[in-house]
Amino acid sequence: MGKIQEFLNLHSGEEDKDKVLENVIANTSFRGSNFWILACAILIASVGLNVNSTAVIIGAMLISPLMGPIIGTGFALGTFNFPLLKKSLKNLLIATLLGLLVSTFYFLISPFKEEQSEILARTSPNIYDVLIAFFGGVVGAIAITRTEKGNPIPGVAIATALMPPLCTAGYGLAISNISYFFGALFLYAINCVFIAIATFAIVKYLKYPTYTYIEPKREKMVRNIVYALTLIMILPSLYFAYSLFEEKRYSQNVEKFINQEFSDKDYTIIYKKINLKSTPKTLDVACLNKQFTADEIASLKEDLLKFGLKDLQLNVKQDILPEETNINELNEFYVNNIESKDKQIEQLKEELAMYNLNTEPILNEIKVFFPQINSISLATHKIDIGNEMKSIV
């Protein structure tokens, strides 16, 4: 049991607490170089989102100093260092406003404002983002308290993804899309809050000394604030996660319906469009080798209920034919028509071959008498000989 405790002991390899606190305080500031690095990182992230480049976005996250004031906030709460808390929150606010300003300005002047997948991925946060932010924050807090920092810190910067949602919020402002703005800003807030909470938990676990004496009543108040923030962030995230789950399940039911009612019956689908964002939701389908009657379409619409798709509107796209039209006769007509066209093509190929005259033997004979001739050309002409058209060369 003792070996297991030693194996899991976070105090092993721990940096001096005073040095850790000095580094944390130094990284909370955005003056000088950090300010310019942050501005450039925001611009790079905005470009990455704009061109849908994951590599560029990852690069922006790696060079961003945005983690500094968030870690500082967690340390300040854990050690009841209220001057550090004030400084960290102030710098975090400055960084957030700078990020919104730069990203909004970029997307306003950018000629490309399409909704890329990298942008859309940051507009609907859920409980999984909470888990990523919290455990990423745990890793980050552990890493900065080690004598050897190693690779975790860059990994935490990528995993928690602070820059992309902030820049996506700027994109929402630039195109006047309030839902994108608040969705991305909420994801950014989730990352900030849970990284800070994770840092708070690690600081408490490692028993960092308090900055000043604090009364038990006030200490309890700080803990209650942390708990309240956690609850405020988790409840909407659970709702978004449930909405995402329902959306995925609905999409799967639509695919099951299409497979069972069309694909499994050997109907060749040449067109399919699913729109689950419209009101009502719509499914447009067109088949190559099947002409549906009105009764068959009505039956398909009734079958939607079996798949839990009662609010889905099915639109079967097909040519409108007279009721007396026989599908088999129509198919036979198309087959015969294709065979007729094939015969015409073969006939034209044969006629074209008559015009491909080989001039090499004639040229060799002519060059015996006229060496200066290098090339000749031949053509067929039709002339009227005795009221009869003849082809001559």
Side-chain angles (χ1 to χ4, degrees), residues 354-355 379-385 388-393:
M354 295 174 58
Y355 291 88
T380 58
H381 300 276
K382 289 189 176 183
I383 61 173
D384 188 2
I385 301 178
E388 185 178 355
M389 297 298 293
K390 297 287 186 180
S391 296
I392 63 169
V393 177

Side-chain angles (χ1 to χ4, degrees), residues 133-146:
F134 179 77
F135 289 108
V138 168
V139 173
I142 292 173
I144 63 175
T145 59
R146 304 298 97 186

Side-chain angles (χ1 to χ4, degrees), residues 219-361:
E219 182 178 351
K220 184 180 179 181
M221 183 185 71
V222 171
R223 286 201 177 95
N224 288 338
I225 291 173
V226 172
Y227 297 149
L229 279 174
T230 304
L231 193 63
I232 289 170
M233 292 296 173
I234 283 180
L235 289 179
S237 301
L238 288 172
Y239 169 76
F240 287 127
Y242 176 76
S243 300
L244 178 64
F245 171 75
E246 287 294 314
E247 184 178 331
K248 293 292 183 184
R249 188 174 67 172
Y250 197 94
S251 298
Q252 290 174 354
N253 289 341
V254 172
E255 292 298 332
K256 287 180 182 178
F257 171 79
I258 293 171
N259 290 334
Q260 292 187 25
E261 301 296 331
F262 294 93
S263 301
D264 292 350
K265 296 179 180 178
D266 294 328
Y267 299 155
T268 303
I269 297 175
I270 58 174
Y271 174 79
K272 179 179 71 174
K273 182 179 179 182
I274 304 170
N275 189 352
L276 302 182
K277 301 294 184 182
S278 63
T279 304
K281 302 177 179 69
T282 59
L283 168 61
D284 299 340
V285 178
C287 294
L288 176 65
N289 58 343
K290 173 65 177 176
Q291 189 77 16
F292 292 92
T293 64
D295 290 339
E296 288 175 328
I297 294 174
S299 178
L300 286 171
K301 290 181 178 180
E302 289 178 3
D303 290 342
L304 289 171
L305 300 176
K306 300 177 183 177
F307 296 86
L309 305 172
K310 61 180 180 179
D311 57 342
L312 181 68
Q313 179 178 313
L314 174 64
N315 301 314
V316 179
K317 306 291 185 179
Q318 57 187 353
D319 294 331
I320 301 175
L321 298 174
E323 292 183 1
E324 65 273 8
T325 301
N326 188 300
I327 300 301
N328 293 330
E329 290 179 358
L330 188 62
N331 290 336
E332 184 179 351
F333 169 78
Y334 281 123
V335 170
N336 294 336
N337 193 41
I338 291 172
E339 289 179 354
S340 175
K341 294 297 182 184
D342 289 341
K343 289 179 181 178
Q344 290 181 14
I345 291 171
E346 290 299 325
Q347 184 179 352
L348 290 172
K349 286 182 177 178
E350 291 175 1
E351 291 182 7
L352 183 62
M354 295 174 58
Y355 291 88
N356 294 331
L357 301 175
N358 187 2
T359 61
E360 187 174 353

Side-chain angles (χ1 to χ4, degrees), residues 208-225:
Y208 271 68
T210 56
Y211 179 75
T212 55
Y213 172 75
I214 184 170
E215 297 176 356
K217 188 176 180 180
R218 196 173 182 188
E219 182 178 351
K220 184 180 179 181
M221 183 185 71
V222 171
R223 286 201 177 95
N224 288 338
I225 291 173

Side-chain angles (χ1 to χ4, degrees), residues 76-100:
L77 287 172
T79 58
F80 303 109
N81 189 334
F82 295 107
L84 176 60
L85 178 63
K86 182 179 178 181
K87 179 182 177 182
S88 298
L89 291 176
K90 176 184 175 183
N91 287 325
L92 181 59
L93 178 61
I94 292 172
T96 302
L97 294 176
L98 177 65
L100 287 174

